[in-house]
Amino acid sequence: MPLRAFEDFSVGDTFALGDVILSREDILTFAQEYDPHAFHLEDEPPLPEFSQQLFSSGWQSCTIFMRLLVDGLLRDSTCAGSPIVEQVKWRKPVCADERLTAATTVTEVGDWPPSPSLGRVRFHHTLIRDGGDVMLEMDNTILFTRRSAP
Amino acid sequence: MSATAYERITIGDIWPFGTHVFEADAMRAFALRYDPQPFHLDEEAARASHFGRLVASGWYTAVVMMRLMVDSNAARANAARAAGLPPLVSGPSPGIDNLAWPQPVYPGDTVTFAGKVLAKRPSQSKPGWALLRKSITGVNQHGQTVLSVTVNAFVSTR
């Protein structure tokens, strides 16, 4: 199968990227390494006004989304990296044992003037918890090699 | 009575987070787990890519920044306590804007991270809390910005 190139993306394209469940250990391990706030490390976290249960680092939501995006879309594409995530919204605290389903939709496609052999595709990414709550939203521009020179 | 930690924050304050030397093995280990694209994993494959060399996942650069920020916040809170001043209590973040990677991070790069206070305002939804808006940058040994982001985070006003 040929790799998905810049020309293969259109506004409105939607990709289902699979799901993931974080265990308590996953949350603690990530927080110890990258985000050791007490509220990501304790089963009864301080600051109960934000969450009464242990909740994961927002960066963990971003990185687990990224893994699903690579496995579900970028691996079989001409992806040439990303210059920017325009916005990240951590809508609700993510806790252990919740199923999070990832999806993304193309919102813009365009030229990438710094490098004419590439094009830019902007995506709106979501992680949605069973029951429908949106936990994470990201707007993200990703570059793809063009199949043919412009 | 002395000012609260929140009251002592001044717009324009710069908080150094520290410096990190990026190691190829750590870059690859992160990428294998979270961002397994060829240019983050394999020197040979990276040579054939748009980048021409192995580069760090942008998410790795971001979480390295986060770790340095959390550790430096804790150190600043300890210094405040030692000086008999109330420490700043940090809460979670509702979101960030324009997380950009203007230049790649290569193995061996030394990146220095810092945050600058842009704005502070009391939270409408959380009594006793305010939102602090900071501009964060990571700059490599050549003076090039490799990461920039505007972060909103809750801080206690008490």
Side-chain angles (χ1 to χ4, degrees):
Chain A
M1 200 180 96
L3 297 179
R4 186 185 296 273
F6 170 70
E7 290 87 342
D8 299 321
F9 290 96
S10 304
V11 172
D13 287 352
T14 292
F15 301 91
L17 302 170
D19 57 50
V20 64
I21 297 174
L22 293 178
S23 68
R24 174 178 173 276
E25 287 65 36
D26 293 334
I27 291 173
L28 295 173
T29 302
F30 187 95
Q32 278 155 5
E33 193 156 9
Y34 302 119
D35 190 354
H37 278 114
F39 46 80
H40 296 316
L41 293 169
E42 292 176 23
D43 289 317
E44 286 181 36
L47 318 183
E49 57 268 59
F50 293 100
S51 174
Q52 308 209 355
Q53 296 178 60
L54 174 71
F55 64 104
S56 63
S57 168
W59 297 103
Q60 189 166 16
S61 300
C62 295
T63 57
I64 61 175
F65 182 91
M66 186 67 203
R67 177 59 193 260
L68 293 170
L69 182 66
V70 171
D71 290 348
L73 179 63
L74 302 182
R75 191 184 292 284
D76 296 318
S77 79
T78 64
C79 177
S82 165
I84 188 166
V85 174
E86 288 84 352
Q87 194 167 63
V88 178
K89 289 195 181 294
W90 291 296
R91 293 283 188 197
K92 288 178 188 292
V94 170
C95 300
D97 305 324
E98 298 179 334
R99 183 186 308 277
L100 305 167
T101 300
T104 192
T105 300
V106 175
T107 57
E108 258 184 74
V109 294
D111 294 337
W112 183 248
S115 191
S117 64
L118 305 179
R120 66 178 172 85
V121 180
R122 186 183 283 184
F123 295 90
H124 184 71
H125 304 319
T126 54
L127 269 183
I128 296 179
R129 180 169 65 188
D130 278 5
D133 288 327
V134 177
M135 311 305 276
L136 171 76
E137 288 184 88
M138 292 196 275
D139 291 306
N140 178 199
T141 293
I142 300 179
L143 304 178
F144 295 88
T145 305
R146 293 172 191 266
R147 184 167 290 127
S148 52
Chain B
M1 192 183 128
S2 65
T4 66
Y6 175 70
E7 286 164 348
R8 284 186 285 115
I9 298 171
T10 302
I11 307 308
D13 281 353
I14 291 175
W15 296 344
F17 297 168
T19 290
H20 183 81
V21 180
F22 283 77
E23 309 277 358
D25 286 349
M27 285 164 47
R28 276 194 293 260
F30 178 92
L32 202 58
R33 178 94 177 75
Y34 297 109
D35 191 354
Q37 301 190 76
F39 41 79
H40 297 320
L41 287 175
D42 180 63
E43 194 68 62
E44 194 72 22
R47 259 197 289 282
S49 77
H50 162 69
F51 293 104
R53 288 179 62 187
L54 189 75
V55 294
S57 167
W59 292 113
Y60 183 56
T61 310
V63 297
V64 165
M65 175 279 288
M66 187 65 193
R67 177 59 195 259
L68 290 174
M69 183 173 87
V70 174
D71 288 350
S72 65
N73 282 347
R76 212 169 22 257
N78 285 336
R81 280 185 205 98
L85 295 167
L88 186 66
V89 175
S90 304
S93 163
I96 61 181
D97 296 311
N98 294 319
L99 170 60
W101 300 282
Q103 295 288 331
V105 172
Y106 300 109
D109 278 1
T110 300
V111 180
T112 301
F113 295 94
K116 180 179 178 182
V117 176
L118 298 179
K120 60 175 193 173
R121 64 173 174 82
S123 165
Q124 303 296 310
S125 60
K126 302 265 184 224
W129 291 87
L131 277 163
L132 192 63
R133 193 166 170 83
K134 281 184 292 186
S135 163
I136 293 170
T137 54
V139 178
N140 71 14
Q141 69 276 17
H142 307 299
Q144 298 166 317
T145 299
V146 297
L147 176 144
S148 62
V149 60
T150 304
V151 171
N152 298 303
F154 285 103
V155 291
S156 174
T157 57
R158 297 200 171 104

